[in-house]
Amino acid sequence: MTDEDWQGDPFADPGDPDAAAREQRRREREEKRQAREAKRAGKEAAAPPPPPVPPPPAEPVTPPPPRTPEQEFWGEPVEEPAIPPPHDPPYVPAPLSVDDGDDSGGVLDALRRHPFRIVAAILALILVWFLWSLFQPFHGDGSGRVAVTIPKGASVSEAGDILSEKGVIDNSTLFQVRVTLAGKRSDIYAGRYTLASGMSYGAAIDALSTPPVKRTTTVTIPEGYSRAEAAQLVEEIGIEGDYTKATIRSKYLDPARYGGKGAKNLEGFLFPNTFETKPNAPVEDLVQLQLQDFKRQIAKVDMGYAKSKNLTIYDVLIIASMIEREAGVPGQRKQVAAVVYNRLKDGMPLGIDATIRFAVGNYTEPLTESELAVDSPYNTRLNTGLPPGPINSPGLEAIEAAAHPAKTDYLFYVNEPETCGKLAFSENEAEFEADVAAYNRAREAAGGNEPDGC
């Protein structure tokens, strides 16, 4: 094969045997490619052409309507361009969730999309529950009977705890809130109550804000009452027992501790005041209250001056009991005490008719000559010094006056006419006689009656 006959790879070596094989394979590939193209071209030529599409039928032509004179004159009306409607955003339907049987996805999705609405709804439900629990509509007044004691001085919190522990109310804290809202924090009374189990807060508040009924007996012993007078008063009230017998001695007080070693009874120690005892309580309970009150009151009195005059507490009580009967007005108690102190100092009989009345038991009628001359250690017209004991139960003011008399030289006194119990004091017998004469004249002018002017 010459160089002119070579039609293959221009860069191949003609003398290379492999080059001839490669050229042979290239030609075979080229022949196959040309055969495929010829075959494809033959098929396209054999396919029949598509049928022609018939033209659409012609629409009938309608002649225009006849023109009116106005149209001939003005011409054809010009059509206004159509105004497009307002542009609205295209409606896009919300995607539908597929219910796979698990509600948690829907709740979580709702929380993600509307968190504030969900929280507001939850808070609203909590508020409704709180108000329902607080005001308890249709709760009622409870049932059964529950004895409850609210101690004196207990706070609203303590009262709520007691009611909750007893099962009267459901919750102590809510009870306190209701009391505050009702404005009754200062209106809860101490005492014993009979309530019900499971009461509403409002019913419990109404019960505790109503003062408990006092089932007690009130006894008032006036200042200056003797044991005999107090016994009559106690009997009229209806307290059971013998007051006179109960006031001879008591384990609650020993007169000897106050200088009354020879005291035959508790006269002077039975402090006058207002006391409350339990229903049907014995008279000994009242006596106990009087003696305990005396201990409290006597501790307030400074006995220094009386002790400097060698007087005991018992002596001061004796003087105070005479002052209660003799001083017609409170402002003259210390002057009466001064007369007693001065007469004791001079060794003069006290001459106090109240002690004679105590001896004879005459507290209202004028004293007779025989009563004024009665043979008794309580007759201070005949005996010097103090009587053996107090003639009544003096109050604190009289005891204070007896312990601290006025600093005067008075030795006498007599009722001053037309002054409603006021006394006229004098330092000597001449002044005293003049005051007595003035009193007698006024008494005669009053027809023998007391010229007190009240």
Side-chain angles (χ1 to χ4, degrees):
M1 184 175 57
T2 65
D3 292 338
E4 290 79 3
D5 298 330
W6 179 255
Q7 297 296 325
D9 187 358
F11 301 98
D13 186 2
D16 185 1
D18 293 333
R22 287 195 298 272
E23 177 62 19
Q24 180 64 29
R25 288 193 296 272
R26 185 189 68 78
R27 289 178 179 179
E28 291 176 356
R29 289 195 298 270
E30 181 64 22
E31 292 174 355
K32 291 179 179 180
R33 183 184 64 78
Q34 292 177 358
R36 287 194 300 270
E37 290 179 356
K39 185 178 181 179
R40 184 165 50 251
K43 289 181 178 181
E44 291 177 356
V53 178
E59 296 181 358
V61 178
T62 304
R67 296 167 62 86
T68 62
E70 290 82 2
Q71 290 175 333
E72 292 289 344
F73 180 82
W74 295 105
E76 291 296 332
V78 179
E79 293 184 2
E80 296 291 336
I83 300 175
H87 176 70
D88 291 331
Y91 171 74
V92 179
L96 298 178
S97 61
V98 179
D99 186 4
D100 57 359
D102 186 3
D103 293 338
S104 61
V107 173
L108 293 177
D109 184 62
L111 284 173
R112 285 192 295 268
R113 289 187 290 110
H114 306 290
F116 296 106
R117 293 182 182 178
I118 299 298
V119 172
I122 294 174
L123 293 177
L125 290 175
I126 293 175
L127 179 61
V128 171
W129 171 85
F130 175 77
L131 294 176
W132 185 277
S133 301
L134 182 63
F135 291 97
Q136 298 176 307
F138 316 115
H139 192 84
D141 296 334
S143 60
R145 296 169 62 88
V146 180
V148 176
T149 299
I150 304 299
K152 187 175 182 179
S155 64
V156 175
S157 174
E158 293 170 338
D161 292 341
I162 293 172
L163 296 179
S164 179
E165 292 173 0
K166 292 283 189 178
V168 175
I169 60 174
D170 294 335
N171 185 280
S172 176
T173 302
L174 293 179
F175 172 80
Q176 297 174 50
V177 174
R178 279 296 306 272
V179 173
T180 303
L181 292 177
K184 293 186 177 183
R185 292 192 69 88
S186 59
D187 296 339
I188 302 300
Y189 290 91
R192 297 179 179 179
Y193 297 87
T194 300
L195 304 177
S197 177
M199 295 179 72
S200 66
Y201 300 123
I205 293 171
D206 290 342
L208 267 62
S209 60
T210 302
V213 178
K214 292 185 177 181
R215 300 186 60 190
T216 59
T217 301
T218 301
V219 184
T220 299
I221 307 296
E223 298 174 345
Y225 261 43
S226 65
R227 287 170 59 237
E229 292 172 305
Q232 183 178 356
L233 175 64
V234 169
E235 183 179 358
E236 292 174 356
I237 294 175
I239 297 180
E240 298 180 0
D242 188 340
Y243 184 85
T244 303
K245 182 179 180 180
T247 54
I248 294 176
R249 62 182 60 88
S250 173
K251 64 179 180 180
Y252 297 104
L253 186 141
D254 181 8
R257 295 187 57 183
Y258 300 92
K261 186 176 181 179
K264 298 184 180 300
N265 50 57
L266 298 174
E267 192 78 75
F269 295 100
L270 303 164
F271 200 80
N273 211 331
T274 298
F275 305 96
E276 291 184 353
T277 62
K278 296 179 181 179
N280 303 322
V283 73
E284 286 78 8
D285 288 4
L286 172 61
V287 174
Q288 176 184 347
L289 293 175
Q290 287 185 274
L291 297 177
Q292 290 174 341
D293 199 16
F294 168 80
K295 291 180 179 180
R296 287 191 295 267
Q297 301 298 335
I298 202 66
K300 303 176 183 179
V301 182
D302 180 7
M303 295 290 177
Y305 182 80
K307 289 181 178 179
S308 69
K309 302 300 180 181
N310 296 320
L311 297 176
T312 66
I313 296 177
Y314 193 62
D315 294 332
V316 172
L317 292 178
I318 295 173
I319 297 173
S321 67
M322 292 187 290
I323 292 173
E324 285 287 16
R325 288 290 188 178
E326 293 293 295
V329 294
Q332 292 186 326
R333 289 188 178 116
K334 289 183 177 291
Q335 285 84 349
V336 174
V339 172
V340 174
Y341 271 74
N342 292 336
R343 282 185 168 242
L344 290 174
K345 179 181 178 181
D346 292 347
M348 299 174 57
L350 298 180
I352 295 178
D353 290 346
T355 61
I356 298 176
R357 290 184 178 279
F358 175 79
V360 299
N362 179 5
Y363 294 100
T364 57
E365 299 297 328
L367 291 173
T368 64
E369 290 296 330
S370 61
E371 289 174 335
L372 291 173
V374 64
D375 183 13
S376 169
Y378 285 91
N379 189 337
T380 54
R381 287 194 176 198
L382 303 178
N383 302 289
T384 58
L386 293 173
I391 59 176
N392 56 52
S393 295
L396 183 61
E397 289 77 10
I399 297 174
E400 290 277 6
H404 301 278
K407 295 181 179 180
T408 69
D409 294 329
Y410 294 146
L411 291 173
F412 306 93
Y413 61 81
V414 68
N415 289 339
E416 186 174 348
E418 305 298 330
T419 59
C420 196
K422 192 174 181 180
L423 301 175
F425 292 90
S426 55
E427 297 180 0
N428 53 61
E429 290 189 14
E431 294 175 355
F432 175 64
E433 292 297 335
D435 292 337
V436 172
Y439 175 78
N440 288 334
R441 287 194 299 271
R443 185 172 183 178
E444 290 177 0
N449 297 320
E450 188 75 21
D452 53 15
C454 294

